[in-house]
Amino acid sequence: MAVSKDLITKAVVEGIKVASIYLPPDVKEALRKAYEEETNSAAKAQLEAILKNIELAEKLKAPICQDTGLITYYVRIGAKFPALDVIEEALIEAARIATKEIPLRPNTVDPVTGRNPGDNTGRYAPVIIWDGIDPKGDYLEVTVVPKGGGSEYVTVYAMVPPGKGLEGVKEVVLDAVVKAGAMPCPPTIIGVGIAGLSDVAMHLAKKCATTRKIGSRHPDPVIADLEKKLLDMVNELGIGTMGMGGKTTALAVHIDYAYRHPATYAVAVAFFCWAARRATVTIKSTGEYTVTQ
Amino acid sequence: MAEYKLKTPLSEEDVRKLRAGDIVYLTGVIYTARDAAHRRIMEYLKAGKPLPFDLRNGAIYHCGPVVAKKDGQWIVVAGGPTTSTRMELYEYDVIEKLGVRMVIGKGGMGKKTAEACVKYGAVYVTYTGGAAVLAAQSIKRVIDVHWLDLGIPEAVWVLEVENFGPLVVAIDSTGRNLIEEVVEKSVKKKEELLRKPL
Ligand code: SF4
């Protein structure tokens, strides 16, 4: 089948379904491990409920959480992909169809009038992040992330004095985790972005929280080491599952950075709740597609 | 830590025996109420108007459910808890004036709610955030709905539940506040960690 708007729409609807109903294997594995290691009985009871809920969602083909999020797409395009002109329309249409078919909770609201169009679309919604062009590629890759409100609410942005460097980053992260407490439904995946500009820091934080697999390491060994250290510290804070205390406050800390300006050191901290939903749809120019997690 | 199976209506004795960290499975009737419902309850109280439902010895649930109508019957599709902190503003009055014995939510509540729990005999319990499918499983039936004009998530849904839980007692009637204790400890730990260089 040749690539068309309908084909892209169909593939992305499938991606939204998979993302909304099934947690990626790395997340499930990490939650299972957290459950096995937990000794605090209140936290363990919550982890048990989480694991049961995941299983039940799969069995009933129902969304994992009632907050089915704001649909976010990270889109990578191969320069040789044949249907560049219809990608955007297809992505919006997919949000509409998925909302009806799964069904998803209608979450998009006009901030001015309060109107909810009921189909998870609207101005800049679904959120489409054009995340790069592969000069030689002949594919389209869309990573679907349904981002819930609770874990978005506690996002932090700070400008640290450049002289403080990574110590400043550590401070911002620990402050953010304590302040977030139970709100982002821990255990979470924490994303940290470091950059010269505020929006870049935020983008990197969000992207590495939501799209990187648990267990993956940053290619820069210094950053990889910092990720591990910060994860240990975050878990030492002892907030635990749903703020009940216990061993696991975060499943992972992911960091990414961009070169900064001499005068700025922007740090953003983003949270992805335990319902860390994502799926990647890859469509080839031949029309074949896959959905992977 | 103990585990209890409780039934509504809840007596003062039922909730006074609960301690922070205990786990409860609740059977009976619960009322959903989130932001808009709380605001309207306060308006009614202020105006001295009777509420269309009786919360005495009852349980309210901070939840904006996804509810669908199938063959003329309401069905709760998803019913996980919402963050309780936003209701802190109203809960003292709700416990005092309406005689609520159990408040179910997620994320924790503050000093005023804890004060009301001590004074009037009530508890704040948390249900696992995000566990919406599991919650819907133990919701057996929609008995009634009030204030549907507020929209489906904000309306007051009267739900029949069976073994609804695990609910962890986060504030007990002695005033112990589990989540606040965890937060206080984490603040201290943070200070300690900040003193150690990377
Ligand atoms: S933070 Fe995540 S798990 Fe918790 S209610 Fe929101 S979307 Fe669901």
Side-chain angles (χ1 to χ4, degrees):
Chain A
M1 207 199 312
V3 178
S4 62
K5 185 189 150 195
D6 286 351
L7 180 106
I8 301 173
T9 308
K10 181 171 163 248
V12 175
V13 168
E14 214 175 297
I16 300 173
K17 274 190 194 162
V18 170
S20 305
I21 298 169
Y22 307 91
L23 276 193
D26 58 301
V27 179
K28 271 199 275 191
E29 193 43 49
L31 287 167
R32 219 170 284 136
K33 197 168 144 251
Y35 169 73
E36 275 156 22
E37 286 171 1
E38 191 53 74
T39 49
N40 171 318
S41 55
K44 200 166 177 105
Q46 306 275 342
L47 282 163
E48 192 183 337
I50 287 173
L51 293 176
K52 271 197 201 149
N53 187 78
I54 294 169
E55 224 173 84
L56 214 50
E58 287 182 4
K59 208 175 94 193
L60 303 173
K61 302 218 172 343
I64 297 163
C65 177
Q66 78 278 1
D67 183 354
T68 50
L70 271 184
I71 297 170
T72 309
Y73 300 118
Y74 288 88
V75 187
R76 252 182 92 71
I77 309 170
K80 302 201 170 65
F81 186 72
L84 297 176
D85 54 334
V86 293
I87 296 174
E88 188 167 342
E89 278 171 66
L91 292 176
I92 295 169
E93 187 59 22
R96 254 188 216 119
I97 294 174
T99 301
K100 242 211 244 136
E101 280 184 4
I102 300 177
L104 302 176
R105 194 169 82 179
N107 273 341
T108 52
V109 180
D110 184 327
V112 184
T113 62
R115 191 181 85 91
N116 183 330
D119 62 0
N120 280 311
T121 70
R123 187 172 161 84
Y124 296 124
V127 181
I128 303 174
I129 298 163
W130 301 102
D131 198 33
I133 296 171
D134 178 348
K136 293 208 183 73
D138 66 345
Y139 62 87
L140 168 70
E141 188 189 279
V142 181
T143 297
V144 181
V145 177
K147 186 70 169 64
S151 67
E152 194 62 22
Y153 200 85
V154 291
T155 311
V156 160
Y157 163 73
M159 195 57 96
V160 306
K164 271 197 172 176
L166 294 178
E167 286 293 339
V169 175
K170 173 181 136 188
E171 201 176 317
V172 174
V173 172
L174 295 183
D175 273 340
V177 175
V178 168
K179 215 166 142 220
M183 261 196 279
C185 289
T188 58
I189 301 169
I190 298 170
V192 183
I194 308 167
L197 303 179
S198 52
D199 55 334
V200 178
M202 194 56 84
H203 168 68
L204 294 176
K206 189 71 68 65
K207 187 179 162 189
C208 66
T210 58
T211 67
R212 245 180 76 187
K213 284 195 168 69
I214 297 173
S216 62
R217 281 168 64 84
H218 195 280
D220 180 335
V222 178
I223 296 295
D225 183 52
L226 185 62
E227 286 176 346
K228 208 185 153 302
K229 276 190 185 147
L230 284 180
L231 176 62
D232 289 346
M233 283 187 209
V234 164
N235 285 332
E236 268 188 67
L237 292 174
I239 290 163
T241 303
M242 297 298 150
M244 294 285 137
K247 288 191 176 146
T248 311
T249 302
L251 302 170
V253 172
H254 294 159
I255 306 175
D256 207 357
Y257 66 92
Y259 276 30
R260 60 181 185 86
H261 178 280
T264 63
Y265 204 118
V267 179
V269 185
F271 293 83
F272 207 16
C273 53
W274 70 258
R277 292 157 285 181
R278 61 172 130 82
T280 300
V281 185
T282 311
I283 307 170
K284 289 203 198 137
S285 59
T286 54
E288 288 162 59
Y289 68 85
T290 56
V291 179
T292 53
Q293 283 184 298
Chain B
M1 179 218 79
E3 208 176 289
Y4 294 94
K5 288 195 185 295
L6 295 180
K7 282 201 167 73
T8 63
L10 297 159
S11 68
E12 180 162 359
E13 200 195 329
D14 279 340
V15 299
R16 288 252 183 229
K17 71 179 179 220
L18 299 173
R19 289 292 170 269
D22 284 351
I23 289 170
V24 177
Y25 290 87
L26 187 66
T27 297
V29 181
I30 60 175
Y31 295 76
T32 69
R34 54 179 293 165
D35 310 61
H38 274 82
R39 271 197 301 275
R40 190 167 288 176
I41 288 173
M42 296 307 284
E43 279 165 28
Y44 272 56
L45 285 178
K46 235 192 220 147
K49 253 180 29 188
L51 292 176
F53 42 84
D54 184 10
L55 294 176
R56 192 146 302 276
N57 298 324
I60 59 170
Y61 182 26
H62 299 154
C63 166
V66 181
V67 191
K69 210 167 204 173
K70 221 170 145 189
D71 307 325
Q73 274 289 87
W74 288 111
I75 292 172
V76 177
V77 182
T82 190
T83 301
S84 301
T85 17
R86 298 190 310 271
M87 270 59 81
E88 175 68 14
L89 223 57
Y90 320 108
E91 224 65 285
Y92 185 99
D93 292 297
V94 168
I95 293 170
E96 181 198 1
K97 305 224 166 70
L98 301 174
V100 167
R101 293 266 178 234
M102 184 177 281
V103 178
I104 308 165
K106 74 155 175 133
M109 297 196 76
K111 291 212 164 47
K112 280 212 76 180
T113 301
E115 211 183 297
C117 286
V118 177
K119 227 165 150 184
Y120 304 105
V123 286
Y124 169 66
V125 301
T126 65
Y127 185 71
T128 315
V133 199
L134 192 64
Q137 256 332 56
S138 43
I139 297 172
K140 293 298 158 199
R141 187 166 72 92
V142 175
I143 299 171
D144 203 355
V145 57
H146 301 278
W147 299 346
L148 203 49
D149 61 296
L150 297 174
I152 285 182
E154 298 277 357
V156 173
W157 294 91
V158 188
L159 307 174
E160 186 184 314
V161 295
E162 200 180 299
N163 285 322
F164 183 54
L167 305 170
V168 178
V169 179
I171 299 179
D172 64 21
S173 62
T174 70
R176 238 193 102 185
N177 189 335
L178 195 69
I179 294 178
E180 212 168 77
E181 282 172 21
V182 169
V183 170
E184 276 164 18
K185 261 195 233 152
S186 75
V187 170
K188 281 206 194 103
K189 189 81 208 170
K190 184 192 82 183
E191 299 303 330
E192 193 187 310
L193 290 168
L194 287 181
R195 280 194 297 272
K196 283 194 243 165
L198 266 172

